[in-house]
Amino acid sequence: MKIFWLMVLMIFYKELFLYGIITTHASTIPKVMNIGAVISFQTSIGKVAKVAIEAAVKDVNSDPTTLVGTKLKVTMQDSNRSGILAIAQDLPIHCKSSLSDLDAEFNAALKFMASETVAIIGPQDSVTAHVVSHVSDELHVPLLSFSASDPTLSSLQFPYFVRTGHSDLYQMAAIAEIVVYYGWREVIAIYGDDEHGRNGIAVLGDKLAAKRCKITFKARLSLTATKDEITDLLVKVALSESRILVVHTSASWGMEVFHIAHDLGMVGSGYVWIATDWLSTVLDTNSPLSEDEMEDIQGVVSLRMHTPDSVLRRRFVSRWKNLTSVEKSNGPIGLNTYGLYAYDTVWLLAHAIDSLFRQGGNISFSKDSRLAEIRGGELHLDALNIFDEGNLLLHSILQVNMTGLSGPIKFNSDGDIMNPAYELINVIGTGYRRIGYWSNHSGISVVPPDKKQPNHSSLYSVIWPGQTSLKPRGWVFPNNGRHLKIGIPHRVSFREFVSVTGTDAGAGFCIDVFTAALNLLPYALPYKFVPFGDGHNNPSATELVRLITAGVYDAAVGDITIITNRTRMVDFTQPYVESGLVVAAPVWKSNSNEWAFLRPFSPLMWGVIVVFFLAVGAIVWTLEHRQNDDFRGPPKRQVVTIFWFSFSTMFFAHRENIVSSFGRLVIIIWLFVVFIINSSYTASLTSILTVQQLSSPIKGIDSLKSSNDPIGYQHGSFVRNYLIDELNIDESRLVPFNSAAEFAKALKDGPHKGGVAAVVDERAYIELFLSTRCEFSIVGKEFTKNGWGFAFPRDSPLVEDMSTAILKLSENGDLQRIHDKWLLRSACTLQGAKLEVDRLQLKSFWGLFILCGLACLAALFIYSIQMVRQFSRHCPEDIESSTRSTRIQTFLSFVDEKEEEVKGRSKRRHIERTSYRKDEDRLSNASSN
């Protein structure tokens, strides 16, 4: 085996030397710089690249500012006769030859080689690039490939490989975003079975997986596949579910795939074909295509590397016709984007070499110590030299920052050209039109990536295969005779929802909803029902859902609640029943009695009302006492006035006038509070006296949690785990039941006779249970929000279509009619009873009381300050020398006095003091005289 690979390496070296790709002579700065080019002259890319490279060399050599004193000389090698293909052709012959014969041939090649090569443009294809990169790494010769797009050709594995075009990493990211943009989930990949095809599709799978999409079928083709082999593979593709087909091949045989697909009727309505940039290359290079070829690709979406419009690009396009005038023997050659990148690659290399020379670099070669150890024979492998400045030249290449025909050229840290972008084109009629762009920094948009405009994530309309603008659904039910296996629960109780009527048949509300939704689908969906359960106990819906992930069932239909742990396993449709957990318990009639008038308010509410009545009366008396005669008189009368005024406001029957500003403010707010209390009391009392009340010791889930009574639940329901895990109810309190009759018996017996205090279940079941059992009722509020849906495998395209059908059933009223058919019961609908109305609690009126209290306190505070100021102004002067108790008694007497009396006494005291001073002044004047 080692001898075999040694022969492969020697043959490959022979080919490289024969065509001048690798050289061994050393020099400094030569007048002629030898560059190798490995391309395929007969391909769409190669024949354009050949002309573009020749034009670029001529332009570089005629530019006086680049490579002054040095000319580029490019020796082109047709890779159809070299590289891995040449090795494959030569290897059987050399395997039959002796080692000495190979030695002689390779020695002759070494003697024939006469030029020095510092870089290689190419190889054109990724397969050859993988092999040649090993040699270039060994000899430090940079490879600059404008078309080898295999993402695995990274700078980590192959440090001397430089991609001057775009990696398929970005092209596949664009395709994944197109798939997501149109809402598709699954694609089929058709590709060539080589490094280019396999690695590109592997990247596509990763990009799709990141967006919760996937490749459902990888249709790989041999590079030498015959028409029959392609036909057989496309037949398998046609039998698959997905209709989104991604074609990642070479331009040499990609059109053959479309031709056969067209003959098979696969390029028609319902299909989506996305071709990588090989198709746009064919269209640009060989346009116009024949009428038959264009018919084969109608409606196809393809990608093309985006090259922004510029003066340089327009000038080169105008020159293209003259440049290809000699090459038109086999027809006109159009300019594709690879030609622009090939042209820029030459200039890129020229700038790098020029930078190397300007930095003082030379061109020299040295011996490879490892090859020097191989001596003897005619091969002379020790004659191969390493390019000493190869690493410096590689560094200069990666540091180039220029603008070429393809736009700005600058490398990122990964060795890729920055800001890759693609045009998205749609083949229509005799040509194509652009429907948008994609770039790695702005995503999908109708705005060119080089335009500084906001991205709106939109595309222009597409004409799809079949000449339709309506977006294809992207999948069909596979026409292989297989029926969907729909699992339905074999229930024991509540069979109105779903029941098994045969080995593959079912009935009930859920079944009718499912079949009605199927009738609205735009395609036939063959199916059969498969019962799940033993018929003796209600089966677990969670286990039924799990069997979908195991592949036992293709879907599940029934009373399946959409809960968190189930959504982690499958996808659910739009809910067709809104449901949640409720508590059902025994209730009894509660007739009105002689104390019914007290029931509207809770005891605390009554207490707060009484306290506020008295407080408001006292505060109003305080504010009015000194000014209003209605609030004066003997103490006994004043106390009666306070009580009378307080409680008369309840009926707005108070007779006392309010004269102070603060008193009016307080009474206005209080009367508003009284109005609200009266209205609420009247409404609640009316309900109590006119509507039959039902009472139950269980008030809801909270009272049930706080007790130690047993709780019933339906066997197989998620309720058990919910009560244990979420509500922390002890498992010993839970009692499972299988039928509605067991529910009823347990509730009648109660917790003291071996029954249960209440039953917790979904509202849909409880409402059906209560429709014929009026002695029970729902107590409290619904404490979860759930719904029922049909379960399908993750990312199943049926989910969206079935959800849309369910919404249509709801909108046209069919869903309600199905509900009435199976679930409408009238036994208890006219009873008019309800659970005892909750008493009005203080929390409902707390804001009113706070508002009233604040107003009272504010008025009382300001009033007190006024009293203190008046007391200090009008009090006797000798009060300051009296004791504290005397001052307090005097202040209280002052407050109790009428304000007019206080002011009159103060005025008289002022007059007396004035008269007394005058008399003293008169006597003093008389004595002095």
Side-chain angles (χ1 to χ4, degrees), residues 279-287 289 294 297 425 427 432:
L279 180 58
S280 62
T281 302
V282 171
L283 291 171
D284 291 337
T285 308
N286 302 325
S287 183
L289 298 180
M294 291 302 298
I297 57 175
I425 63 173
V427 180
Y432 58 85

Side-chain angles (χ1 to χ4, degrees), residues 451-469:
K451 302 289 186 180
K452 301 298 182 182
Q453 295 185 23
N455 174 36
H456 301 292
S457 297
S458 60
L459 295 174
Y460 293 118
S461 60
V462 177
I463 303 300
W464 304 101
Q467 300 296 314
T468 176
S469 60

Side-chain angles (χ1 to χ4, degrees), residues 36 39 58 122 182 196 251-252 276 300 308 351 357 380 388 435 470 556 607 723 820 866:
I39 58 178
K58 183 178 179 180
Y182 287 108
H196 174 253
S252 59
T276 51
V300 176
H351 282 296
F357 289 163
H380 296 293
D388 294 330
I435 60 172
L470 184 65
L723 295 177
D820 295 343
Q866 290 180 347

Side-chain angles (χ1 to χ4, degrees), residues 585-601:
V587 294
W588 58 84
K589 295 179 181 179
S590 177
N591 296 321
S592 300
N593 55 27
E594 63 275 14
W595 300 104
F597 67 91
L598 295 176
R599 287 169 57 188
F601 292 143

Side-chain angles (χ1 to χ4, degrees), residues 28-34 57 60-63 66-73 350 353-354 357 363:
T28 55
I29 300 178
K31 293 184 178 181
V32 176
M33 186 64 61
N34 292 309
V57 171
V60 168
N61 291 336
S62 61
D63 185 3
T66 305
L67 290 176
V68 178
T70 302
K71 300 294 184 182
L72 289 184
K73 178 182 178 182
I353 296 173
D354 187 60
F357 289 163
I363 302 300

Side-chain angles (χ1 to χ4, degrees), residues 42-98:
Q42 303 304 316
T43 63
S44 298
I45 296 176
K47 59 185 177 182
V48 173
K50 179 177 179 294
V51 177
I53 292 173
E54 291 172 347
V57 171
K58 183 178 179 180
D59 292 343
V60 168
N61 291 336
S62 61
D63 185 3
T65 62
T66 305
L67 290 176
V68 178
T70 302
K71 300 294 184 182
L72 289 184
K73 178 182 178 182
V74 176
T75 302
M76 294 193 190
Q77 173 189 343
D78 189 350
S79 61
N80 283 338
R81 295 184 52 82
S82 63
I84 192 66
L85 189 56
I87 293 175
Q89 293 172 353
D90 291 345
L91 190 58
I93 300 174
H94 290 296
C95 285
K96 297 176 184 178
S97 303
S98 64

